[in-house]
Amino acid sequence: DQQVKQNSPSLSVQEGRISILNCDYTNSMFDYFLWYKKYPAEGPTFLISISSIKDKNEDGRFTVFLNKSAKHLSLHIVPSQPGDSAVYFCAATSFNAGNMLTFGGGTRLMVKP
Amino acid sequence: DTAVSQTPKYLVTQMGNDKSIKCEQNLGHDTMYWYKQDSKKFLKIMFSYNNKELIINETVPNRFSPKSPDKAHLNLHINSLELGDSAVYFCASSQEGVNYGYTFGSGTRLTVV
């Protein structure tokens, strides 16, 4: 049973436009959410996170939005750049989860020049 | 200077063999993990280990065992390899209480033939 779901396996966006990646979760105990970016043949790298006490966190071109009532979060990248082309994983955890993350299945973002 | 390093990067072996994957981190983190990325690209936790406790995902077969000679190393030993063990295995580390962000290794692609 996937507790974290990324329903779009892929997304294609034109350079300069906004990329919106979505993530849904089912476990109401999750209280911390993260996004990771992964290039081929490399490990995932931490991108941005958000605590459940917030509904938005911004870091440069990357913004994560959290809607707790809908159990939904999204990652906005604006403006999108070709170097952003990668697989993006959503992850979630809870205070009593021993720092272990539950990952979604990933969304492959392709930014076209 | 690699923060989390895994060896080997590629491993091809026959069914029934026993193999180990090594992981070392030089970040001074106190918790290390093993994740498995299966053919469907899901990242699933296998083990979490710090100097206090080992947490095992109950779905992991007991043919898999983590071994930690010291705080900077968490090796993965696999007995009696099966075809279904073929996957990419990622080691990661984190500092407890610091925004839950992991640092991942670049992965080990295991192919069982």
Side-chain angles (χ1 to χ4, degrees):
Chain A
D1 179 32
Q2 284 295 118
Q3 298 185 60
V4 179
K5 297 179 182 179
Q6 294 176 253
N7 291 320
S8 298
S10 64
L11 174 68
S12 183
V13 170
Q14 204 67 33
E15 181 179 6
R17 307 294 283 268
I18 185 171
S19 296
I20 300 176
L21 296 98
N22 294 304
C23 177
D24 298 292
Y25 61 96
T26 58
N27 188 340
S28 57
M29 298 299 292
F30 287 146
D31 57 14
Y32 205 89
F33 306 89
L34 306 91
W35 285 93
Y36 283 78
K37 176 179 178 180
K38 184 183 181 305
Y39 292 118
E42 295 183 10
T45 55
F46 171 71
L47 192 58
I48 192 170
S49 63
I50 188 167
S51 164
S52 61
I53 62 173
K54 295 185 177 181
D55 54 19
K56 176 182 175 181
N57 188 26
E58 189 172 353
D59 183 3
R61 296 185 298 113
F62 302 92
T63 303
V64 55
F65 295 92
L66 175 63
N67 182 333
K68 283 179 292 185
S69 61
K71 293 191 177 67
H72 177 84
L73 64 156
S74 61
L75 174 68
H76 292 210
I77 307 173
V78 56
S80 301
Q81 300 174 354
D84 296 330
S85 297
V87 177
Y88 289 79
F89 288 96
C90 170
T93 188
S94 59
F95 177 75
N96 61 357
N99 230 24
M100 288 193 292
L101 299 180
T102 300
F103 284 86
T107 296
R108 182 177 299 278
L109 173 65
M110 293 163 283
V111 181
K112 299 178 181 178
Chain B
D1 192 19
T2 305
V4 179
S5 59
Q6 299 178 225
T7 54
K9 191 168 181 67
Y10 300 96
L11 180 57
V12 181
T13 188
Q14 291 187 326
M15 285 175 55
N17 284 350
D18 302 340
K19 290 292 179 184
S20 292
I21 305 172
K22 296 185 177 180
C23 179
E24 176 182 5
Q25 56 98 1
N26 62 8
L27 298 165
H29 286 170
D30 53 24
T31 306
M32 297 183 71
Y33 314 83
W34 278 103
Y35 275 79
K36 176 181 179 180
Q37 186 178 33
D38 59 23
S39 57
K40 295 183 179 179
K41 306 302 182 186
F42 287 107
L43 278 162
K44 294 185 178 177
I45 182 72
M46 300 179 70
F47 305 101
S48 166
Y49 183 79
N50 61 23
N51 58 5
K52 301 168 192 171
E53 64 179 331
L54 170 67
I55 301 175
I56 302 172
N57 183 328
E58 60 188 14
T59 66
V60 175
N62 58 15
R63 297 182 295 104
F64 290 79
S65 57
K67 299 187 189 303
S68 180
D70 55 55
K71 182 180 169 180
H73 296 83
L74 184 66
N75 303 324
L76 181 64
H77 189 75
I78 316 168
N79 289 327
S80 303
L81 278 155
E82 300 178 357
L83 292 176
D85 297 332
S86 296
V88 181
Y89 293 83
F90 287 98
C91 176
S93 70
S94 71
Q95 185 65 28
E96 191 170 349
V98 180
N99 80 359
Y100 302 97
Y102 290 2
T103 301
F104 279 88
S106 58
T108 295
R109 181 174 293 278
L110 171 65
T111 303
V112 182
V113 296

